[in-house]
Amino acid sequence: FKPSYHTLLLKHFRSALRSIGYANYTDVKSLPSEKFNSTDFFTELELTILFSLECEDIQYSNLCKIMAFTGLRASDAVWLTEANIVDNTINYVCKKTNRPESIQTDQYVLDLIKEGNFGKPKNYLTIHRNWVAAAGINPDTTTHVFRHSYASNLIDTGVGIDVIRDRLGHASTFPTYIYSKTLTDYISVATQIDSDIF
């Protein structure tokens, strides 16, 4: 785990042990170290570095910024225009669920949408990987990692899972947990060590 997530998840793990009546939960000092796949999401620092660099396709980088700051899927963000904006809210119909959705956001994101023309270039994967590699980040990712980053960074700052579920447009919290790769990995680690504890 990355250190910040290790601390957060250990806190939740101890709380879970306490809630089921396990008396020695304070004896649990750490979770087993696991190799964390840093390509599942970008940290806030990685996003800051990445977004400070020029991308060879400005519209592609704007699309990625919108995804990173709103949690939208590329299939929804790519169609946004000024017509989708009312006050500080983005209104759209989700392509995956065909449900109307709305997201309140800041002026920076609204300005990116107003610039428009987000169609992916034919060689977008090469553009994406070159851009990410230039930031010193593992380039083995796709555009969807920006949506994962949005969810994971919200969890890292302590935002509740129900709020994140609503922002991502999920019908239940189950897919929200899956989007948070940190929690998915945590659950797999907890499953491996529960027999040792109990």
Side-chain angles (χ1 to χ4, degrees):
F1 293 112
K2 294 186 177 185
S4 59
Y5 286 102
H6 188 279
T7 302
L8 176 68
L9 297 175
L10 179 58
K11 175 183 165 189
H12 289 300
F13 189 48
R14 285 180 178 161
S15 175
L17 291 174
R18 183 173 60 246
S19 71
I20 62 169
Y22 181 68
N24 298 324
Y25 67 89
T26 54
D27 293 342
V28 181
K29 304 293 183 196
S30 66
L31 295 173
S33 295
E34 291 280 312
K35 183 176 179 185
F36 193 90
N37 182 357
S38 62
T39 60
D40 287 335
F41 71 97
F42 299 138
T43 65
E44 284 189 45
L45 177 60
E46 289 169 333
L47 287 173
T48 301
I49 294 168
L50 182 63
F51 293 156
S52 71
L53 298 175
E54 278 190 38
C55 176
E56 56 190 281
D57 187 296
I58 188 67
Q59 296 301 344
Y60 179 72
S61 69
N62 286 350
L63 175 68
C64 295
K65 289 173 187 175
I66 291 169
M67 292 176 65
F69 298 136
T70 64
L72 285 171
R73 295 174 181 88
S75 59
D76 294 323
V78 75
W79 296 106
L80 294 176
T81 67
E82 198 166 348
N84 295 98
I85 301 170
V86 177
D87 296 324
N88 289 333
T89 304
I90 303 167
N91 298 301
Y92 67 101
V93 175
C94 177
K95 301 289 183 208
K96 185 174 182 180
T97 63
N98 207 29
R99 290 190 323 237
E101 302 281 352
S102 62
I103 297 174
Q104 215 169 18
T105 190
D106 60 20
Q107 192 60 47
Y108 177 73
V109 172
L110 299 176
D111 290 342
L112 291 174
I113 293 169
K114 289 173 184 175
E115 288 183 30
N117 302 317
F118 299 118
K120 287 183 186 175
K122 289 181 181 177
N123 59 340
Y124 84 92
L125 192 55
T126 301
I127 291 171
H128 172 85
R129 290 184 173 169
N130 289 343
W131 185 37
V132 172
I137 305 169
N138 185 342
D140 189 22
T141 62
T142 65
T143 309
H144 199 66
V145 76
F146 292 100
R147 180 167 160 89
H148 287 228
S149 301
Y150 178 77
S152 295
N153 289 324
L154 285 180
I155 285 177
D156 195 31
T157 56
V159 175
I161 199 74
D162 290 336
V163 174
I164 298 170
R165 175 202 64 204
D166 292 342
R167 289 190 183 179
L168 293 177
H170 291 154
S172 72
T173 54
F174 182 72
T176 310
Y177 281 114
I178 293 172
Y179 267 80
S180 171
K181 300 300 185 178
T182 56
L183 290 184
T184 304
D185 288 349
Y186 164 64
I187 289 165
S188 87
V189 170
T191 302
Q192 292 168 16
I193 67 175
D194 64 356
S195 59
D196 295 335
I197 292 175
F198 298 108

